[in-house]
Amino acid sequence: MHTLLVILGGLALMAVVYGIALWRGVSLHRAFPVYAGLLAMASAINLWVGVTQAGYSVAEELPIFAVIFGVPCLLAWFLARRSA
């Protein structure tokens, strides 16, 4: 359940970043690296909390990191590519 909520948070972040980009007249193609960097930081923080606070090993958290980062980032990349 936590993973799903974090993915939804990543999608909400995408909506905010892309919304600001469109509001300021910036293409989604140019906003994508900003979004990907913010999502990578948020996903890394989630990995760090899982390892240091929840007691999971890095090997257990890496696949979760890949999903939490990969799913929203792939959707954001697809949207940015379609808008160009």
Side-chain angles (χ1 to χ4, degrees):
M1 185 68 177
H2 174 76
T3 302
L4 180 62
L5 291 175
V6 176
I7 289 172
L8 290 174
L11 295 175
L13 177 65
M14 178 183 64
V16 169
V17 170
Y18 279 8
I20 291 171
L22 292 174
W23 176 60
R24 296 197 60 189
V26 177
S27 72
L28 298 185
H29 182 72
R30 289 192 62 205
F32 174 74
V34 174
Y35 168 72
L38 291 172
L39 183 62
M41 286 190 295
S43 299
I45 290 170
N46 184 68
L47 181 137
W48 177 75
V49 169
V51 170
T52 61
Q53 303 297 317
Y56 294 110
S57 70
V58 174
E60 290 173 315
E61 279 292 320
L62 280 177
I64 303 303
F65 173 84
V67 170
I68 287 173
F69 177 74
V71 170
C73 198
L74 184 63
L75 179 62
W77 174 79
F78 179 73
L79 290 174
R81 188 168 174 240
R82 276 192 85 188
S83 72

